[in-house]
Amino acid sequence: ITATHMLERIQPQPLVVTDGPGLPGWEAVFTYADPAGTAPTVSAVTPDHAPVAGGTTVTITGSVFRDNVAVFFAGVPAPSVTRVSTTQLTVTTPPGTAGAADVRVLNTDALEATLPGGLTYDGAPTVTLVTPATGNSLGGATITLTGTNFRAGTRVFFGALEAQVTSIDPGGASLTVLSPYTTADGPTDVTAVDTWGQQGTLPGGFT
Protein backbone atom coordinates (compact mmCIF):
# COMPACT_ATOMS: atom_id res chain seq x y z
CA ILE A 1 0.00 0.00 0.00
CA THR A 2 1.34 3.43 -0.91
CA ALA A 3 -0.07 6.53 0.77
CA THR A 4 0.84 10.17 0.34
CA HIS A 5 0.29 12.80 3.00
CA MET A 6 1.46 16.37 3.42
CA LEU A 7 4.18 16.72 6.08
CA GLU A 8 2.84 17.72 9.48
CA ARG A 9 4.56 18.53 12.75
CA ILE A 10 5.95 15.33 14.23
CA GLN A 11 3.44 13.51 16.40
CA PRO A 12 1.71 10.12 16.31
CA GLN A 13 -1.33 9.99 14.03
CA PRO A 14 -3.82 7.14 13.45
CA LEU A 15 -3.56 5.35 10.09
CA VAL A 16 -6.54 3.18 9.09
CA VAL A 17 -6.49 0.75 6.15
CA THR A 18 -9.76 -0.82 4.89
CA ASP A 19 -10.90 -2.94 1.95
CA GLY A 20 -13.49 -0.33 1.09
CA PRO A 21 -16.03 2.16 2.44
CA GLY A 22 -17.93 0.80 5.42
CA LEU A 23 -15.77 -2.32 5.75
CA PRO A 24 -13.68 -3.26 8.82
CA GLY A 25 -10.16 -1.89 8.80
CA TRP A 26 -6.83 -2.19 10.49
CA GLU A 27 -5.53 0.71 12.52
CA ALA A 28 -1.92 1.51 13.29
CA VAL A 29 0.01 4.54 14.51
CA PHE A 30 2.00 6.49 11.97
CA THR A 31 4.58 9.01 13.10
CA TYR A 32 5.55 11.92 10.87
CA ALA A 33 9.27 12.66 11.00
CA ASP A 34 11.37 15.55 9.81
CA PRO A 35 13.64 14.28 7.06
CA ALA A 36 17.28 13.56 7.79
CA GLY A 37 19.50 16.58 7.36
CA THR A 38 16.94 19.03 8.76
CA ALA A 39 18.51 21.41 11.27
CA PRO A 40 16.73 22.34 14.50
CA THR A 41 15.45 25.82 15.27
CA VAL A 42 15.16 27.67 18.59
CA SER A 43 12.47 30.33 18.84
CA ALA A 44 12.05 31.04 22.58
CA VAL A 45 13.24 30.27 26.11
CA THR A 46 10.66 30.60 28.91
CA PRO A 47 11.35 32.09 31.40
CA ASP A 48 14.18 34.01 29.75
CA HIS A 49 15.85 34.99 33.04
CA ALA A 50 17.57 32.79 35.63
CA PRO A 51 19.92 33.20 38.62
CA VAL A 52 23.65 32.75 38.12
CA ALA A 53 23.62 29.74 40.46
CA GLY A 54 21.72 27.71 37.88
CA GLY A 55 19.09 25.09 38.68
CA THR A 56 16.15 26.90 37.06
CA THR A 57 13.76 24.90 34.88
CA VAL A 58 13.09 26.55 31.52
CA THR A 59 11.13 25.55 28.44
CA ILE A 60 12.76 25.80 25.03
CA THR A 61 10.49 25.92 22.01
CA GLY A 62 11.49 25.47 18.39
CA SER A 63 11.52 22.57 15.95
CA VAL A 64 13.33 19.37 14.98
CA PHE A 65 14.43 18.45 18.50
CA ARG A 66 15.58 14.84 18.16
CA ASP A 67 16.24 12.14 20.77
CA ASN A 68 19.28 12.74 22.98
CA VAL A 69 19.45 16.41 22.04
CA ALA A 70 21.98 18.51 23.97
CA VAL A 71 21.54 22.10 25.14
CA PHE A 72 24.22 24.66 26.01
CA PHE A 73 23.97 28.05 27.73
CA ALA A 74 26.92 30.28 26.81
CA GLY A 75 28.81 27.09 25.97
CA VAL A 76 28.04 25.35 29.27
CA PRO A 77 26.04 22.11 28.93
CA ALA A 78 22.68 21.91 30.66
CA PRO A 79 22.71 19.27 33.42
CA SER A 80 19.25 17.99 32.51
CA VAL A 81 17.39 17.97 29.19
CA THR A 82 13.98 16.36 28.71
CA ARG A 83 12.63 16.11 25.18
CA VAL A 84 8.89 16.68 25.56
CA SER A 85 8.31 16.68 21.81
CA THR A 86 10.07 17.67 18.62
CA THR A 87 9.08 21.27 19.34
CA GLN A 88 9.60 21.51 23.11
CA LEU A 89 12.36 20.79 25.61
CA THR A 90 12.37 21.08 29.40
CA VAL A 91 15.85 22.06 30.53
CA THR A 92 17.67 22.83 33.79
CA THR A 93 20.03 25.79 33.56
CA PRO A 94 23.68 25.35 34.53
CA PRO A 95 25.55 27.96 36.61
CA GLY A 96 26.44 31.00 34.56
CA THR A 97 27.84 34.52 34.51
CA ALA A 98 25.60 37.57 34.86
CA GLY A 99 24.42 38.84 31.49
CA ALA A 100 22.99 37.50 28.25
CA ALA A 101 23.78 33.92 27.27
CA ASP A 102 23.36 32.31 23.86
CA VAL A 103 21.22 29.17 23.93
CA ARG A 104 22.46 26.40 21.62
CA VAL A 105 20.63 23.19 20.74
CA LEU A 106 22.67 20.34 19.25
CA ASN A 107 21.19 17.18 17.77
CA THR A 108 23.11 13.90 17.55
CA ASP A 109 23.48 14.37 13.77
CA ALA A 110 25.67 17.42 14.58
CA LEU A 111 23.08 19.86 13.23
CA GLU A 112 22.40 22.74 15.58
CA ALA A 113 20.70 26.07 16.18
CA THR A 114 21.48 29.03 18.43
CA LEU A 115 19.23 31.69 19.92
CA PRO A 116 21.57 34.65 20.60
CA GLY A 117 21.04 36.05 24.10
CA GLY A 118 18.15 33.65 24.61
CA LEU A 119 18.63 33.61 28.39
CA THR A 120 19.77 36.36 30.75
CA TYR A 121 21.55 35.35 33.94
CA ASP A 122 20.60 37.75 36.74
CA GLY A 123 23.49 38.64 39.03
CA ALA A 124 23.04 38.90 42.78
CA PRO A 125 22.37 42.40 44.14
CA THR A 126 25.14 44.27 45.90
CA VAL A 127 24.87 47.13 48.39
CA THR A 128 27.84 49.52 48.46
CA LEU A 129 26.41 52.67 50.04
CA VAL A 130 23.44 53.73 52.20
CA THR A 131 22.47 57.42 52.23
CA PRO A 132 21.90 58.77 54.81
CA ALA A 133 23.66 56.16 56.89
CA THR A 134 22.02 57.21 60.15
CA GLY A 135 18.44 57.75 61.31
CA ASN A 136 16.12 57.54 64.28
CA SER A 137 14.36 54.43 65.54
CA LEU A 138 10.90 55.70 64.58
CA GLY A 139 11.44 54.76 60.94
CA GLY A 140 9.78 56.31 57.92
CA ALA A 141 12.91 58.09 56.70
CA THR A 142 13.70 58.00 52.97
CA ILE A 143 16.92 56.04 52.47
CA THR A 144 18.80 55.47 49.21
CA LEU A 145 20.78 52.30 48.58
CA THR A 146 23.50 52.36 45.95
CA GLY A 147 24.82 49.15 44.41
CA THR A 148 24.12 46.82 41.49
CA ASN A 149 21.47 44.46 40.16
CA PHE A 150 18.46 46.06 41.83
CA ARG A 151 15.44 44.75 39.90
CA ALA A 152 11.68 44.73 40.26
CA GLY A 153 10.72 42.62 43.27
CA THR A 154 13.92 43.35 45.21
CA ARG A 155 13.35 43.40 48.99
CA VAL A 156 15.44 45.29 51.54
CA PHE A 157 16.10 44.44 55.18
CA PHE A 158 17.67 46.46 57.99
CA GLY A 159 18.84 43.60 60.12
CA ALA A 160 15.78 41.33 60.31
CA LEU A 161 13.32 44.19 59.67
CA GLU A 162 11.97 44.66 56.15
CA ALA A 163 11.90 48.16 54.70
CA GLN A 164 9.31 49.38 52.22
CA VAL A 165 10.82 49.81 48.76
CA THR A 166 9.42 52.95 47.13
CA SER A 167 11.36 53.13 43.86
CA ILE A 168 14.03 51.31 41.87
CA ASP A 169 16.36 52.92 39.36
CA PRO A 170 15.68 51.42 35.88
CA GLY A 171 19.40 50.86 35.50
CA GLY A 172 19.49 48.82 38.72
CA ALA A 173 22.14 51.01 40.37
CA SER A 174 20.04 52.40 43.22
CA LEU A 175 16.74 52.13 45.04
CA THR A 176 14.93 54.04 47.76
CA VAL A 177 13.19 52.68 50.83
CA LEU A 178 11.46 53.88 53.97
CA SER A 179 13.43 52.88 57.05
CA PRO A 180 11.56 50.47 59.36
CA TYR A 181 10.62 51.14 62.96
CA THR A 182 12.96 49.49 65.46
CA THR A 183 13.42 49.28 69.21
CA ALA A 184 17.15 48.58 68.91
CA ASP A 185 19.87 51.21 68.62
CA GLY A 186 23.25 50.83 66.96
CA PRO A 187 24.65 49.68 63.60
CA THR A 188 22.63 47.22 61.55
CA ASP A 189 23.34 45.31 58.36
CA VAL A 190 21.49 46.35 55.21
CA THR A 191 20.58 43.51 52.85
CA ALA A 192 18.99 43.47 49.40
CA VAL A 193 17.35 40.22 48.25
CA ASP A 194 16.15 39.58 44.71
CA THR A 195 13.28 37.38 43.55
CA TRP A 196 15.65 34.42 43.09
CA GLY A 197 16.78 34.64 46.72
CA GLN A 198 20.18 36.02 45.74
CA GLN A 199 21.36 38.69 48.14
CA GLY A 200 23.99 41.25 48.96
CA THR A 201 24.73 42.81 52.36
CA LEU A 202 26.49 45.95 53.55
CA PRO A 203 27.57 45.08 57.12
CA GLY A 204 26.68 47.85 59.57
CA GLY A 205 25.39 49.92 56.67
CA PHE A 206 22.87 51.89 58.75
CA THR A 207 22.88 53.18 62.32
Side-chain angles (χ1 to χ4, degrees):
I1 298 174
T2 301
T4 302
H5 199 290
M6 294 180 65
L7 180 65
E8 297 184 11
R9 189 50 46 206
I10 303 173
Q11 57 184 353
Q13 298 287 342
L15 175 67
V16 179
V17 179
T18 71
D19 290 328
L23 297 176
W26 298 267
E27 183 171 343
V29 174
F30 179 80
T31 300
Y32 296 98
D34 288 301
T38 303
T41 66
V42 181
S43 56
V45 178
T46 308
D48 59 1
H49 282 251
V52 293
T56 299
T57 299
V58 300
T59 297
I60 298 178
T61 54
S63 64
V64 198
F65 298 149
R66 302 192 188 277
D67 289 334
N68 301 312
V69 62
V71 176
F72 301 83
F73 294 84
V76 181
S80 174
V81 178
T82 300
R83 178 180 177 269
V84 179
S85 68
T86 60
T87 61
Q88 182 175 314
L89 305 173
T90 300
V91 182
T92 302
T93 60
T97 302
D102 294 348
V103 179
R104 175 178 169 234
V105 171
L106 175 65
N107 282 330
T108 53
D109 58 7
L111 296 177
E112 62 182 74
T114 299
L115 182 61
L119 180 84
T120 298
Y121 279 104
D122 291 335
T126 65
V127 182
T128 57
L129 181 67
V130 177
T131 309
T134 60
N136 61 52
S137 61
L138 298 178
T142 298
I143 307 296
T144 299
L145 275 63
T146 302
T148 61
N149 299 324
F150 298 141
R151 294 176 290 271
T154 298
R155 302 168 67 188
V156 174
F157 295 85
F158 287 64
L161 302 175
E162 185 168 4
Q164 179 184 345
V165 176
T166 57
S167 67
I168 299 178
D169 168 47
S174 66
L175 58 76
T176 58
V177 301
L178 297 179
S179 61
Y181 167 80
T182 180
T183 58
D185 294 330
T188 186
D189 296 347
V190 179
T191 301
V193 184
D194 69 10
T195 55
W196 301 113
Q198 302 176 124
Q199 62 183 27
T201 300
L202 181 62
F206 186 78
T207 301

